[in-house]
Amino acid sequence: MAKKFIDVMDTTFRDGFQSVFGGRVLMNDFFPAVEAAKTAGITHFEFGGGARFQSLYFYLREDAFEMMDKFRKIVGPEANLQTLSRGVNTVMLETGSKELIDLHAKLFKKHGTTTVRNFDALNDVENLKYSGERIAHHGLKHEVVVTMMDLPPGCHGAHGVDFYEKTLREILDSGIPYSSICFKDASGTSNPQKVFDTIKMARALVPDGTHIRLHTHETAGVSVSAYMAALEAGVDGIDMAASPVSGGTSQPDLLTMLHATKGMNYDLGGLEIDKILTYEKELQYCLSDYFIPPEATIVSPIIPFSPMPGGALTANTQMMRDNEILDKFPEVIAAMQEVVKKGGYGTSVTPVSQFYFQQALNNVMQGPWKAIAPGYGRMVLGYFGKTPVAPDPEIVKIASEKLNLVPTTDKALDLANADYSKSLENWINKLKEEDLEITEENVFIAAACQEKGIAFLKGDGELKVRKISQMKTDCKGSKEMGSGNYTVVVDGQKFSVQVAEGDADIQVTAVNGESATEVAPAAAPAPAVASQDETTVKALLPGSVWKLVANPGQSVQDGDVLLILESMKMEIDVVATRSGVVKSINVATNDKVVEGQVVAVIG
C-alpha cells in the first residue's frame, strides 16, 4: 500500500525568519540556502508576505518585491511560492480599502506568488470575502484560513471545535473561492486532542478532495504532537522549517518530523534525510553571523496561559532590546492573560497579537488600563471587525474615552473605503509631494508602510540587522559600545547616549535635562531642575519623537497631548500632567528618548 503523500511547505524564509530574527535577514545572505533547498527537492516555500513584507522596508533597506522576483528566479517557474495575507489588512497593520486590497493581489501575482494564505485574526468571515475574491480574480490560489489557539484558563465562549466549525461553515456558505483550507495556530497553543477533533470535523464537512493543512509553532512545546494528531485525523499538508530557524518560536524542523513519522504510512513531501542535512548545513553557514536571540530557541510552558505567536515574540523582544526594556518582557507576557480575557478572544496572530502585546506593555509600564494602545482600543470598539465574543464593557468604555471613538458595528471594509487616507489617490499625491516615481509598487509600499515606506523610497530607510561580527568586543572580551542608543549613569545621573559608528562625537541627552547637545563623552550636560511653580513631563516609555503637537508659550489643559512618541510600533501620546503654559519642549522630531526623560516643562 502506497504511503499517503503529505505536502510540506518550507516556512524557513518567511515564518522561520520572522520567528527567530523578527524578519531581519538580508536577501543576499540567504539566497544560497534557497538554492540548496531547491537541490534538496523542496518545491513549496513560504517566501513573503506577513511581517516579512514590512520588515524589509523598516529594517533592511530592501524591496520586498525585488526579493520575491529573485527568489522566483532561483527556484524556477514550477515551485509553489506562498505568501501570508491578513484579510482586509493584507500585509499592513491597518485595514485597507478595496483599492489597496486589489492592488495587493495584483502585485503579489506579478512578483512571483503562486498561493496566498489568507486569514483574519478575529475569524470574522466578512473580512475574508473581498480579499479572497480578489486573490482568485488575479489568478492566485487562495488558501482560506481558520485561526486557532487555546484560551487562557477560565475563558470560555470561543476557540473550541464548535467555534471552528461555525467559522468554517460561514466560509463555505459565503461562496468565497478557495483552493485549500488551513487551520493556523500562530501561538502553537492548541492542544493535540482539539487539533485532531478539528481536522476530523473539517474533513467531514468539506467536499471530498479538499486540501486541508495545519500550521503551528513549537513555542508551547506541543507542535510535533499536534502535527501527529493532524496526520492521524486526515490532514493533507503541514508546515516545517530548517535549522537553525526551526523549533523554539518557529515550526518543527524538517528532520524532526521525518524522524517522528518513521515507519508510518506518510510520505512527507518526498523528502530525503541526507538531502535535508545538506540543505540545513548550507543554511546554518548562511546565517552563522546572525545573532539568534536566546528566547527564540526555547519552549515556554507559560505561553498557553498568555498566547504569544513565535513570529511576534521575537519581533517584540528585538524592539525591547533596541529600547533597553527587555527586562520587562516576563511581566508583559504575564499581563497578556488579562488583556486576552478582556479583549474579545481574537486569535493571537498579527495584528491582534501585536495589539495584545502593546496593551500588556502599556499596563506594565504605565499602570493597568491607564493608557489604551490604539490598535487594541480600536479592536474592542469594533473597527477591525467583530470579535469572537463581546469585549469587557468596562474596557470598551475606557477605550472609547481614551481614543475619543464610539463603538461601531460597521464592516471594517466599509470603514476603510470611507477613509480617504486609505485611497490610491491619497498615496499617489503623497508620492508626488515627495517627488517620488509613481508606480503601483511605490504606491503600495507607501500605503503599507506609511512614513517608513516613504523614507525607504527616498533612500532614508534604517538598517537594523543584528550580526555577531558587528557586536564588537575589546581585548578583555567585553562588548564595546557600537552604534545605537544607550542609557548610562554618570555620578548617579542617567543620560541617554546616541552613538553613530564613525562619528567623532557622541550625542548625550540628560534624562532629566532640557536638550541634546553635541559633546565629548566626558562633558555631559547638567540636569535641569524645574522651579517650584513648574512641572516636568517625562516619557513613560522609550522611543523616538514622531510628532510635536504643542509649542512653547501655548496654554494647555491637564491631559492635552504635547507630543507623540513612536515606541514598539505604537504611537504614544505624551500629555500635560497639569493645566498651564508650555515653558519648553525639550526634544525635536526623530530624537530618541529613554524612559523617565524630561520632554517638556509646564508652568
Side-chain angles (χ1 to χ4, degrees):
M1 179 179 176
K3 292 184 175 183
K4 179 180 178 180
F5 184 84
I6 303 298
D7 182 78
V8 170
M9 182 168 75
D10 183 352
T11 60
T12 298
F13 306 104
R14 208 293 302 172
D15 207 343
F17 285 174
Q18 181 63 35
S19 297
V20 175
F21 302 114
R24 306 185 197 185
V25 184
L26 297 163
M27 68 174 93
N28 289 332
D29 287 345
F30 73 79
F31 278 158
V34 176
E35 183 68 49
K38 175 189 174 183
T39 302
I42 294 173
T43 60
H44 188 179
F45 298 88
E46 188 180 39
F47 84 131
R52 263 289 290 177
F53 183 82
Q54 289 178 322
S55 64
L56 272 68
Y57 302 105
F58 283 13
Y59 306 117
L60 303 181
R61 295 179 184 164
E62 290 186 343
D63 182 3
F65 294 121
E66 178 187 359
M67 183 278 294
M68 293 162 66
D69 290 340
K70 291 182 176 180
F71 199 114
R72 169 58 77 185
K73 186 175 181 180
I74 293 171
V75 299
E78 300 304 319
N80 183 0
L81 296 187
Q82 188 157 319
T83 60
L84 188 66
S85 180
R86 312 179 191 112
V88 292
N89 295 66
T90 63
V91 291
M92 302 176 282
L93 290 177
E94 265 288 352
T95 52
S97 64
K98 283 188 173 182
E99 292 176 324
L100 291 175
I101 292 170
D102 178 75
L103 186 57
H104 161 262
K106 180 180 180 181
L107 289 176
F108 274 57
K109 171 65 175 179
K110 176 182 175 181
H111 291 282
T113 303
T114 309
T115 304
V116 176
R117 175 176 287 173
N118 187 36
F119 73 91
D120 179 66
L122 302 181
N123 279 312
D124 185 343
V125 176
E126 284 296 329
N127 289 342
L128 297 172
K129 289 180 179 178
Y130 186 75
S131 55
E133 189 275 321
R134 298 322 290 168
I135 289 167
H137 171 82
H138 286 286
L140 293 155
K141 293 181 180 179
H142 179 218
E143 185 164 281
V144 70
V145 175
V146 177
T147 58
M148 301 178 69
M149 70 176 184
D150 264 18
L151 291 173
C155 296
H156 307 281
H159 290 289
V161 179
D162 56 343
F163 173 72
Y164 300 138
E165 179 176 357
K166 174 178 174 291
T167 303
L168 181 56
R169 285 186 182 277
E170 288 180 13
I171 290 171
L172 298 175
D173 292 343
S174 72
I176 298 172
Y178 67 90
S179 57
S180 55
I181 296 170
C182 177
F183 290 88
K184 177 179 172 64
D185 184 349
S187 59
T189 55
S190 293
N191 66 82
Q193 184 62 52
K194 186 175 76 172
V195 168
F196 176 86
D197 293 341
T198 298
I199 300 299
K200 273 288 191 183
M201 172 275 296
R203 180 57 69 205
L205 191 60
V206 301
D208 290 343
T210 301
H211 185 89
I212 300 176
R213 304 188 65 86
L214 178 68
H215 170 94
T216 191
H217 286 245
E218 179 60 13
T219 320
V222 294
S223 67
V224 175
S225 296
Y227 275 159
M228 299 302 286
L231 290 170
E232 186 179 351
V235 82
D236 300 299
I238 56 177
D239 299 349
M240 293 178 276
S243 178
V245 294
S246 57
T249 52
S250 183
Q251 279 73 59
D253 192 88
L254 291 158
L255 293 170
T256 299
M257 286 306 302
L258 286 171
H259 180 69
T261 54
K262 277 182 180 177
M264 303 182 74
N265 196 37
Y266 305 113
D267 174 4
L268 299 190
L271 301 179
E272 300 174 20
I273 289 177
D274 58 339
K275 292 181 180 180
I276 298 301
L277 281 166
T278 301
Y279 158 40
E280 292 200 351
K281 183 177 179 180
E282 178 64 28
L283 180 66
Q284 288 165 6
Y285 176 78
C286 289
L287 301 177
S288 59
D289 196 26
Y290 280 79
F291 169 69
I292 296 181
E295 65 273 12
T297 65
I298 63 175
V299 168
S300 173
I302 67 168
I303 288 297
F305 308 102
S306 301
M308 169 53 64
L313 191 152
T314 51
N316 286 322
T317 57
Q318 292 283 51
M319 286 188 287
M320 294 183 86
R321 276 191 179 88
D322 291 342
N323 288 289
E324 298 183 355
I325 53 172
L326 187 57
D327 61 304
K328 301 290 186 182
F329 180 70
E331 293 178 63
V332 175
I333 288 295
M336 272 189 62
Q337 183 169 343
E338 180 186 20
V339 170
V340 173
K341 283 184 175 182
K342 295 187 175 182
Y345 300 166
T347 314
S348 192
V349 60
T350 306
V352 169
S353 58
Q354 197 65 20
F355 300 160
Y356 286 154
F357 188 86
Q358 289 167 346
Q359 187 57 52
L361 180 68
N362 276 351
N363 286 358
V364 168
M365 301 295 291
Q366 304 186 55
W369 309 108
K370 297 295 184 184
I372 295 293
Y376 185 85
R378 294 181 70 232
M379 177 185 71
V380 300
L381 292 171
Y383 286 84
F384 290 98
K386 185 179 179 181
T387 54
V389 302
D392 184 277
E394 184 60 30
I395 300 305
V396 172
K397 180 182 177 183
I398 294 172
S400 182
E401 292 172 350
K402 296 284 187 182
L403 302 183
N404 195 28
L405 287 172
V406 297
T408 182
T409 57
D410 290 344
K411 296 177 183 178
L413 183 58
D414 292 341
L415 293 169
N417 278 330
D419 187 344
Y420 177 76
S421 71
K422 297 178 180 180
S423 67
L424 291 182
E425 181 182 37
N426 172 64
W427 290 105
I428 289 171
N429 287 337
K430 287 187 179 296
L431 292 180
K432 289 179 179 177
E433 290 170 8
E434 299 289 348
D435 197 27
L436 292 167
E437 183 181 3
I438 310 298
T439 66
E440 289 183 323
E441 284 82 356
N442 285 358
V443 170
F444 190 78
I445 291 166
C449 302
Q450 301 186 17
E451 289 83 4
K452 291 187 177 181
I454 295 290
F456 167 82
L457 294 173
K458 293 170 66 177
D460 297 333
E462 292 185 284
L463 181 61
K464 289 187 176 181
V465 181
R466 290 183 179 271
K467 290 195 174 185
I468 298 168
S469 61
Q470 296 169 358
M471 301 170 73
K472 303 176 183 178
T473 57
D474 62 21
C475 60
K476 295 181 181 179
S478 299
K479 182 180 173 183
E480 289 183 355
M481 185 179 288
S483 59
N485 302 300
Y486 302 86
T487 301
V488 299
V489 178
V490 180
D491 293 333
Q493 298 172 11
K494 290 173 67 178
F495 298 90
S496 170
V497 181
Q498 297 182 49
V499 182
E501 191 168 348
D503 285 355
D505 295 326
I506 298 175
Q507 184 169 327
V508 180
T509 305
V511 170
N512 294 311
E514 291 192 355
S515 61
T517 55
E518 293 289 332
V519 297
V529 179
S531 63
Q532 290 185 347
D533 61 343
E534 293 178 338
T535 300
T536 57
V537 179
K538 299 178 181 180
L540 297 177
L541 287 171
S544 58
V545 179
W546 181 67
K547 185 178 183 180
L548 300 179
V549 177
N551 298 304
Q554 180 178 332
S555 295
V556 293
Q557 300 297 314
D558 185 7
D560 284 354
V561 178
L562 302 177
L563 55 101
I564 302 173
L565 299 179
E566 181 187 51
S567 178
M568 301 292 295
K569 293 186 179 180
M570 289 186 290
E571 294 174 14
I572 308 294
D573 291 342
V574 178
V575 302
T577 53
R578 53 166 280 195
S579 299
V581 175
V582 178
K583 294 296 185 181
S584 65
I585 298 292
N586 300 7
V587 290
T589 302
N590 296 325
D591 277 0
K592 303 290 185 182
V593 301
V594 297
E595 178 190 356
Q597 179 175 334
V598 173
V599 295
V601 176
I602 299 174

